[in-house]
Amino acid sequence: MTPLAPLAFTAPTINYGLFAPVLFVLGAACVGILVEAFAPRALRFQIQVALSLIALAAAFVNLVLNWGIASRALIDPVTVGQVVTGSLIHDGATQVMWAMLLGFGFVSLLLFAERRVHGGVTAFTPMAAATPGSKAETEAAEAGLEHTEAFPLALFSLSGMLLIVAANDLLTMFVALEILSFPLYVLCGLARHRRLLSQESALKYFLLGSGASAMLLFGVALVFGYSGSFAYDGIVTAVTLSQESDRLLIGGVALIAVGLLFKIGAVPFHAWVPDVYQGAPTPVTSFMAVCTKIAAAGALLRIFYVCFGGARLTWQPVIAAVAILTMIVGTVVAIVQTDIKRLLAYSSVAHAGFLLTAVTGAATTQSGLADGQLGSVGAILFYLIGYGFATIGCFAVVTVVRAHGREATELSQWAGLGRRYPVIGISMVILLLSLAGIPLTAGFVGKFAVFTAAWQGGYWWLALVAVLVSVVAVYIYLRVIIVLFFREPAGEAEVTIAGPMTLIVLAISLIGTLVLGIAPAPVTNVIAQAAEFLHAVAG
Amino acid sequence: MNDPYIVLAAILFTIGLVGFLIRRNALVIFMSVELMLNACNLVFISMSQVHGILDGQVAAFFVMVVAAAEVVVGLSIILMIYRSRRSTSVDNLTAMKH
């Protein structure tokens, strides 16, 4: 045992200009808590909506203004005897992922703010602490109460997501993962209707999520034990130079992968996805389905490409196996679902599998990819943009299709809906076709990009399997389209007139899906130029 | 590397993991997760000593803070479930099975 170095602490230098987007979101979340404490109840909703939307817009503007600035470490602590790259890193990939998270976070918050479809209140329960069906709950509902805490909670979660995609050491990554998870556990339990389902989903997500984070943390501990460093570049150095046996390292990498694959929703760690997506309030589901997936995919990519990209570890076959399992299980189980939210949940599992094919390919500039081409990182980010637009749009449609004042999520209730409400019907068809990956939609371009990335990385057989599975997956979405247009109307579910917020969400997702499908070049160019990970930064 | 602390931590972690997988009471599952987190702390602190750096000890503080926050969120969710069902057994969580 070597004696510990004397305790010395050097204050980190923080680049506030580049770090500002996170600070805006985190600051708005803290102010939101104060609003809950001090603002009069009647004004809280308006204040929270304005505060959170303005904060996200300000963060986005700040990000755009910083766009051209060269990559650098955001927070750069100088430790005794060695200079590490910093806990957070600002590179092209960070910029693109931040833009995606802020954009989709903004759109999801618009759904949070929808009140008209729910009869003048938000989708959140009047009193989460009250027992379902109790007198206290009824009184709170009659008084028109609502939990406006949902907005600061979503902002806290979003700030965790912004941190995790920029995290450049394992400890920061773990803390960011927990910051993004805890608010989501609470948000899942806040649904106004079907309280028992909502509470159940919160408990399931919490128990499984905390177990997965504990496994991830043990992985972090083992990697720390192996390399003596949390920073990614320190780990890379240790992996390259170390003469010790790899047991700690292999165990650590496996456990870290478990934690992140859980968040992405990959098989065999997908069991929570359908239950949580079904039980959570639909705006929260759309937020989780899109933003959590972006954040977890970003963290997974950075860890595998930057931190464990060294030659001593061959992780690709394992991820390839997970990808195949995820695609097949997600697709096959989605085909037999009768609840639209569960169907979208399994479809999101299948999409996680398609993403992982490109992760396996690992086509980056490090592996000989030409500059300006869409490598694995770029392909995955583009895929997530297309998936995000289509998914948020689908969940927006789910919130407006209602029967007896609640969401009609049974697929049988949707029979003939497209014929009675052509605008909603055709919008849903476009979004579903994008999820299916039909040409002229963003989903097609995204699928093409990730399969190409897998092919370029030498995993042509994985790309072939993925193409075959995605042909089968088309049936999931065709089934919904058939129910919408070719079944006799059941007459039970109705499309409720939605407020401007939901209509804006629907419009954004449709425009995004079609524009990225027909003319993807501007966006793919931006991503191809920007989205590479910074590998090593000298102090 | 056959550091005895790693072995001890691995045993603790495994006990936590097995409890997490086989126990049916939400509170006991939650306690098992906390045991797993403590196993992580043991690795951080002992490895900090082995490598002669303080990072691991700082990490242990972070983990404690995260665990405390987890207790707040977790116990409130478990309490909410208990009040509506009078039970914290996860076997009753079957409302969404299809």
Side-chain angles (χ1 to χ4, degrees):
Chain A
M1 297 223 176
T2 38
L4 289 179
L7 183 61
F9 177 75
T10 316
T13 52
I14 301 175
N15 191 327
Y16 286 103
L18 293 179
F19 193 45
V22 181
L23 293 179
F24 277 125
V25 177
L26 205 52
C30 295
V31 175
I33 297 292
L34 293 177
V35 168
E36 286 301 322
F38 295 112
R41 196 184 285 281
L43 290 177
R44 274 183 216 162
F45 175 77
Q46 281 79 7
I47 298 177
Q48 294 286 20
V49 173
L51 180 69
S52 37
L53 292 182
I54 290 171
L56 290 189
F60 196 84
V61 169
N62 186 286
L63 185 69
V64 172
L65 292 178
N66 285 339
W67 198 270
I69 294 177
S71 306
R72 70 184 70 176
L74 279 176
I75 295 181
D76 199 4
V78 183
T79 51
V80 190
Q82 68 174 130
V83 179
V84 296
T85 51
S87 309
L88 296 171
I89 200 154
H90 181 269
D91 54 15
T94 306
Q95 281 178 325
V96 175
M97 285 189 275
W98 278 7
M100 289 160 63
L101 286 169
L102 291 171
F104 285 120
F106 188 92
V107 178
S108 314
L109 280 181
L110 289 177
L111 277 187
F112 276 52
E114 173 62 51
R115 282 169 121 182
R116 189 162 167 186
V117 290
H118 312 282
V121 283
T122 50
F124 303 104
T125 174
M127 191 182 271
T131 315
S134 69
K135 191 158 168 267
E137 194 190 40
T138 323
E139 281 173 356
E142 277 165 4
L145 303 188
E146 50 194 356
H147 271 299
T148 43
E149 287 93 339
F151 291 93
L153 283 173
L155 289 183
F156 274 124
S157 180
L158 195 62
S159 61
M161 293 170 187
L162 296 175
L163 287 175
I164 198 172
V165 297
N168 203 39
D169 76 39
L170 289 174
L171 190 58
T172 312
M173 196 268 295
F174 169 72
V175 174
L177 184 78
E178 298 294 40
I179 295 175
L180 90 82
S181 304
F182 291 164
L184 283 180
Y185 301 150
V186 179
L187 280 171
C188 285
L190 289 185
R192 175 171 289 271
H193 303 295
R194 302 199 177 97
R195 294 281 309 135
L196 286 177
L197 283 195
S198 179
Q199 293 184 346
E200 187 174 317
S201 76
L203 184 65
K204 279 182 178 166
Y205 195 17
F206 167 73
L207 286 179
L208 294 173
S210 57
S213 325
M215 286 188 217
L216 179 129
L217 186 66
F218 200 68
V220 171
L222 292 183
V223 172
F224 173 70
Y226 176 84
S227 65
S229 168
F230 287 112
Y232 288 178
D233 66 335
I235 295 168
V236 172
T237 316
V239 170
T240 320
L241 299 180
S242 174
Q243 304 295 322
E244 291 172 22
S245 89
D246 286 345
R247 273 184 306 166
L248 281 186
L249 181 67
I250 291 169
V253 174
L255 286 170
I256 291 174
V258 168
L260 290 173
L261 289 174
F262 172 87
K263 282 284 165 213
I264 289 188
V267 178
F269 315 109
H270 70 295
W272 62 279
V273 176
D275 287 355
V276 172
Y277 279 26
Q278 188 190 359
T282 308
V284 176
T285 310
S286 74
F287 180 62
M288 272 194 297
V290 178
C291 293
T292 309
K293 197 152 285 196
I294 296 173
L300 188 78
L301 280 172
R302 198 183 287 278
I303 282 191
F304 274 118
Y305 288 11
V306 177
C307 189
F308 302 128
R312 285 181 70 179
L313 282 178
T314 318
W315 48 266
Q316 283 91 343
V318 181
I319 299 289
V322 172
I324 290 179
L325 259 181
T326 309
M327 287 187 288
I328 293 179
V329 171
T331 304
V332 171
V333 186
I335 286 176
V336 297
Q337 293 304 309
T338 55
D339 183 289
I340 185 77
K341 279 172 92 176
R342 283 184 88 84
L343 185 144
L344 288 171
Y346 277 110
S347 127
S348 127
V349 171
H351 282 283
F354 295 131
L355 274 184
L356 289 175
T357 61
V359 178
T360 312
T364 57
T365 43
Q366 301 255 307
S367 66
L369 184 79
D371 264 349
Q373 259 193 306
L374 214 57
S376 276
V377 180
I380 287 169
L381 295 187
F382 187 88
Y383 188 90
L384 280 168
I385 295 175
Y387 160 85
F389 279 128
T391 306
I392 285 195
C394 283
F395 281 116
V397 172
V398 170
T399 59
V400 298
V401 177
R402 305 175 85 83
H404 316 298
R406 297 174 170 202
E407 283 165 11
T409 55
E410 279 295 316
L411 208 51
S412 57
Q413 293 174 298
W414 285 46
L417 209 70
R419 279 195 260 169
R420 288 161 58 210
Y421 303 96
V423 176
I424 285 289
I426 289 171
S427 311
M428 190 71 182
V429 168
I430 294 172
L431 298 169
L432 288 171
L433 288 179
S434 179
L435 284 177
I438 304 293
L440 295 183
T441 60
F444 172 75
V445 184
K447 277 217 169 78
F448 187 76
V450 290
F451 298 162
T452 311
W455 192 289
Q456 281 169 339
Y459 281 84
W460 56 270
W461 52 271
L462 186 61
L464 276 184
V465 174
V467 169
L468 288 178
V469 177
S470 60
V471 171
V472 180
V474 171
Y475 180 69
I476 307 171
Y477 309 105
L478 274 185
R479 201 173 128 241
V480 181
I481 294 172
I482 289 170
V483 169
L484 277 175
F485 281 95
F486 301 103
R487 291 277 153 76
E488 282 309 309
E492 198 183 348
E494 308 242 315
V495 171
T496 318
I497 309 283
M501 299 295 194
T502 304
L503 297 180
I504 293 173
V505 173
L506 209 51
I508 291 176
S509 51
L510 281 173
I511 293 170
T513 302
L514 289 175
V515 168
L516 288 183
I518 295 165
V523 176
T524 51
N525 286 342
V526 168
I527 293 180
Q529 279 164 14
E532 272 294 332
F533 290 120
L534 202 56
H535 278 264
V537 184
Chain B
M1 188 186 300
N2 283 320
D3 194 86
Y5 286 103
I6 292 267
V7 177
L8 176 60
I11 293 171
L12 278 179
F13 183 80
T14 313
I15 294 173
L17 187 61
V18 171
F20 175 73
L21 294 175
I22 67 170
R23 295 304 291 262
R24 287 282 153 261
N25 185 315
L27 274 174
V28 180
I29 295 177
F30 187 39
M31 283 161 59
S32 305
V33 171
E34 295 294 312
L35 189 60
M36 288 156 82
L37 292 183
N38 284 330
C40 300
N41 269 350
L42 189 57
V43 178
F44 280 133
I45 290 167
S46 57
M47 282 299 125
S48 192
Q49 193 75 23
V50 168
H51 289 291
I53 46 174
L54 281 171
D55 297 23
Q57 302 200 8
V58 176
F61 282 113
F62 275 93
V63 175
M64 280 188 239
V65 172
V66 165
E70 198 159 29
V71 169
V72 174
V73 173
L75 283 189
S76 57
I77 290 175
I78 293 175
L79 194 67
M80 183 173 78
I81 287 278
Y82 178 75
R83 281 167 52 162
S84 56
R85 292 168 194 250
R86 293 283 143 199
S87 146
T88 53
S89 167
V90 292
D91 285 335
N92 296 340
L93 300 182
T94 52
M96 283 181 283
K97 278 227 172 102
H98 276 255

